[in-house]
Amino acid sequence: MASRFNPYTINKQPHSFSLGTTPNIKDIVVGRCYNYMTLINPGTRYECEDIWTHFEDAVFRQPSCNVTVEDYRQMFHSMTQNQPCHRSLFWSKTRPLMHSYAAVMKHLWTLEDTLAGYMFNDLIWCRQQEDADFDFSACPEWSACPNHPVYSLWRQASQNFAEMACGNVTVLLNGSISNAFNRRSMFGTVELDSLDPQRVDYVNIQVVASLGGPQIEACGQGSVVDLIRILQTRGFLWTCTDNDQYIVSFLFKTVEWELGCCFV
Amino acid sequence: NQVGQTQTMNEDDFLCNAFNCYPHRYECEDIWTHFEDAVFRQPSCNVTVEDYRQMFHSMTQNQPCHRSLFWSKTRPLMHSYAAVMKHLWTLEDTLAGYMFNDLIWCRQQEDADFDFSACPEWSACPNHPVYSLWRQASQNFAEMACGNVTVLLNGSISNAFNRRSMFGTVELDSLDPQRVDYVNIQVVASLGGPQIEACGQGSVVDLIRILQTRGFLWTCTDNDQYIVSFLFKTVEWELGCCFV
């Protein structure tokens, strides 16, 4: 572990130390729960210790690769919350842009703004083979597991998030990759199918190419056409915008500054 | 939507000398114990900076150079800005700032426990437990600042540079001319707000004079076009215009 590297580039070069359960996961998860109801979304009340107990019950019920969505049901039951209308932001393959954007546009509501998303974001967990405890040394890859404990939780959280979405919702897609709308992504498999035409008014699709990146997909072509077709079939109203000028200029400013240009 | 399969190392997880970087781990429970010791030592209105010393000793960390952002009376802009400009380093990015941000605490009069029902106002206390912690955290933050630093001031208020703010009382005095190269002052008026102060007038002149006296190199910019357009876009979107 004592190798020479430049600490200022750490964030740009992820190293995998260990693929095991996140250290101190209980303190982090329970602490985030208290943080959420006290500071992030005050006025909400949760039993954080109960949520944790239900979480452990789900993860420890069976050896690692077999934690189903159903196993998490009691946990999610203790985490239900309302969701503001006209603010839901869905995203696929646009994580850096989405994070910056949602951090500034505080009225937007992403999965990470829900209690479940907030509590479990960026964490890894799995059970040991033998004992009913977390395995901190290694966890299986998603692809190695029929019912991966982490995937199952996010699948249910994403489904709840989409089912509760109301009013106008926004979908942010990456125009610089093929399959901007990926039928195998969480958005394509779970969230899209869980949107409720009775609750949702417009689905506003935003296709944004990365700066200096190629324009591979756009509203009128490629996978986005498939998305629109699905929305139409299911009775959603929709709009689609390529490279919305405000998002693009936001991106542009972000990159400019990240490059150290013009500030500091 | 997805979970990272690799664990990214955080910069503050490492202490580096000239040759190597080693993982730096905090003893969170110890930090808490030292915190409680400080807060409970005396009845509420008398927790000094010195009381927190052991706690801060267990929280020391390195700070990246050329990235420190100081701010005064510009909290909303600073938060949005720093959230996007991830390379910037504010007090809230330090361990102490991160742990205690937005929290309130004080001891009961009688028992050595927290008073969850009421805490004194800052002005009511000679040594307010919350103020003392932030004072020391701010001092550490400023002392460790290195390279070019930025100061973000609000051009739409009088006393943009306020000699009684945390920046004016603690942070400015703790900046080290041996460690700091340039102090880049950014005076930004709020959108649609008046231009009350600017680089060449008012309190900002006092700030520049102090910097000069102490031997700092400095620059000052009014309404930097990039910050202003960032602000503009933020407000546009907050108003619901042009998106969603």
Side-chain angles (χ1 to χ4, degrees):
Chain A
M1 213 127 85
S3 57
R4 178 96 166 96
F5 60 90
N6 183 347
Y8 301 159
T9 62
I10 287 177
N11 289 336
K12 297 173 176 58
Q13 296 170 14
H15 295 63
S16 46
F17 271 33
S18 134
L19 295 172
T21 301
T22 308
N24 305 302
I25 188 171
K26 178 178 178 181
D27 288 316
I28 293 171
V29 169
V30 174
R32 283 178 176 181
C33 177
Y34 286 118
N35 209 34
Y36 187 87
M37 72 186 201
T38 308
L39 296 175
I40 308 284
N41 200 354
T44 51
R45 273 283 161 269
Y46 298 102
E47 297 296 336
C48 299
E49 300 285 348
D50 289 352
I51 294 172
W52 173 261
T53 301
H54 298 322
F55 170 72
E56 272 195 340
D57 289 347
V59 177
F60 293 166
R61 195 183 65 83
Q62 292 216 23
S64 186
C65 262
N66 200 3
V67 181
T68 64
V69 161
E70 185 62 27
D71 288 328
Y72 284 116
R73 189 208 297 204
Q74 200 174 11
M75 184 193 79
F76 277 105
H77 185 72
S78 57
M79 299 172 80
T80 55
Q81 64 179 134
N82 287 331
Q83 214 157 282
C85 291
H86 302 295
R87 291 171 44 175
S88 299
L89 176 65
F90 296 86
W91 55 279
S92 193
K93 313 287 186 267
T94 49
R95 190 176 199 198
L97 171 61
M98 184 279 296
H99 270 167
S100 296
Y101 201 70
V104 173
M105 302 295 107
K106 296 179 182 41
H107 63 280
L108 293 177
W109 186 262
T110 68
L111 176 60
E112 289 74 10
D113 293 309
T114 64
L115 176 64
Y118 186 80
M119 284 174 69
F120 293 101
N121 198 24
D122 286 333
L123 305 182
I124 298 171
W125 59 90
C126 63
R127 180 188 183 257
Q128 297 178 21
Q129 280 297 100
E130 301 300 323
D131 302 323
D133 197 359
F134 291 102
D135 188 341
F136 290 99
S137 60
C139 284
E141 298 275 351
W142 280 25
S143 51
C145 265
N147 289 301
H148 196 287
V150 176
Y151 177 83
S152 298
L153 185 143
W154 284 109
R155 197 188 194 292
Q156 186 63 48
S158 300
Q159 182 176 326
N160 294 347
F161 177 64
E163 282 175 354
M164 293 296 290
C166 48
N168 299 329
V169 308
T170 306
V171 179
L172 192 62
L173 300 178
N174 187 340
S176 289
I177 58 172
S178 52
N179 282 327
F181 169 58
N182 187 334
R183 225 8 188 151
R184 296 174 63 184
S185 67
M186 198 65 91
F187 174 71
T189 48
V190 177
E191 293 176 331
L192 177 58
D193 293 346
S194 303
L195 287 176
D196 183 350
Q198 309 281 34
R199 293 176 61 82
V200 170
D201 299 337
Y202 276 87
V203 176
N204 297 310
I205 307 166
Q206 296 279 352
V207 184
V208 183
S210 38
L211 291 183
Q215 187 84 46
I216 293 184
E217 297 231 333
C219 285
Q221 65 200 57
S223 63
V224 186
V225 174
D226 298 334
L227 170 59
I228 292 171
R229 186 176 39 76
I230 293 170
L231 291 173
Q232 281 174 322
T233 306
R234 294 192 51 211
F236 288 102
L237 298 168
W238 59 273
T239 67
C240 192
T241 309
D242 286 313
N243 296 317
D244 173 270
Q245 57 164 333
Y246 292 97
I247 303 182
V248 170
S249 60
F250 176 87
L251 248 186
F252 183 58
K253 292 288 180 288
T254 311
V255 169
E256 265 188 338
W257 286 321
E258 283 286 342
L259 291 176
C261 161
C262 319
F263 191 61
V264 176
Chain B
N1 283 239
Q2 79 224 38
V3 171
Q5 289 287 337
T6 57
Q7 294 190 354
T8 312
M9 302 185 299
N10 292 320
E11 290 195 20
D12 30 291
D13 283 348
F14 293 88
L15 283 177
C16 300
N17 59 26
F19 307 101
N20 273 305
C21 290
Y22 301 90
H24 184 52
R25 283 276 164 268
Y26 297 105
E27 298 296 336
C28 300
E29 301 287 346
D30 288 352
I31 292 171
W32 175 257
T33 301
H34 297 323
F35 170 72
E36 272 194 338
D37 289 347
V39 176
F40 294 165
R41 194 182 66 82
Q42 290 215 24
S44 187
C45 263
N46 200 4
V47 181
T48 63
V49 160
E50 185 62 27
D51 288 328
Y52 285 116
R53 188 208 297 203
Q54 200 174 12
M55 183 193 79
F56 278 104
H57 185 71
S58 58
M59 299 171 80
T60 54
Q61 61 180 136
N62 286 331
Q63 213 158 283
C65 292
H66 302 295
R67 292 171 42 170
S68 298
L69 175 65
F70 295 85
W71 57 277
S72 194
K73 312 288 186 264
T74 48
R75 192 179 199 199
L77 171 60
M78 183 281 295
H79 270 169
S80 297
Y81 201 70
V84 173
M85 304 293 108
K86 296 180 181 42
H87 62 281
L88 293 177
W89 187 260
T90 67
L91 176 59
E92 288 74 10
D93 292 310
T94 64
L95 177 64
Y98 185 80
M99 286 175 71
F100 292 99
N101 199 22
D102 287 332
L103 305 182
I104 297 170
W105 59 92
C106 62
R107 180 190 184 263
Q108 296 177 22
Q109 278 298 100
E110 300 301 323
D111 303 323
D113 197 0
F114 293 103
D115 187 342
F116 291 99
S117 62
C119 283
E121 299 276 350
W122 281 27
S123 50
C125 265
N127 289 300
H128 195 288
V130 176
Y131 176 82
S132 298
L133 185 143
W134 284 109
R135 196 186 194 293
Q136 186 62 49
S138 301
Q139 182 177 325
N140 294 347
F141 176 64
E143 283 174 352
M144 294 294 293
C146 48
N148 297 329
V149 309
T150 305
V151 180
L152 192 62
L153 300 178
N154 187 340
S156 290
I157 60 173
S158 51
N159 283 324
F161 168 59
N162 187 334
R163 225 7 188 151
R164 297 173 63 182
S165 67
M166 198 65 90
F167 174 70
T169 49
V170 177
E171 292 176 332
L172 177 58
D173 293 344
S174 303
L175 287 176
D176 182 351
Q178 309 280 36
R179 293 175 61 81
V180 170
D181 299 336
Y182 275 88
V183 176
N184 296 311
I185 306 167
Q186 296 278 352
V187 184
V188 183
S190 39
L191 290 185
Q195 186 84 47
I196 292 182
E197 298 230 334
C199 285
Q201 65 201 57
S203 62
V204 186
V205 173
D206 298 332
L207 170 59
I208 291 171
R209 186 176 38 78
I210 293 169
L211 291 173
Q212 281 174 321
T213 307
R214 294 191 51 211
F216 289 102
L217 298 168
W218 59 273
T219 68
C220 192
T221 310
D222 287 313
N223 295 318
D224 174 271
Q225 58 163 333
Y226 293 96
I227 303 182
V228 171
S229 60
F230 177 86
L231 247 185
F232 183 58
K233 293 287 179 289
T234 310
V235 169
E236 264 188 337
W237 287 319
E238 284 287 342
L239 293 176
C241 162
C242 319
F243 190 61
V244 177

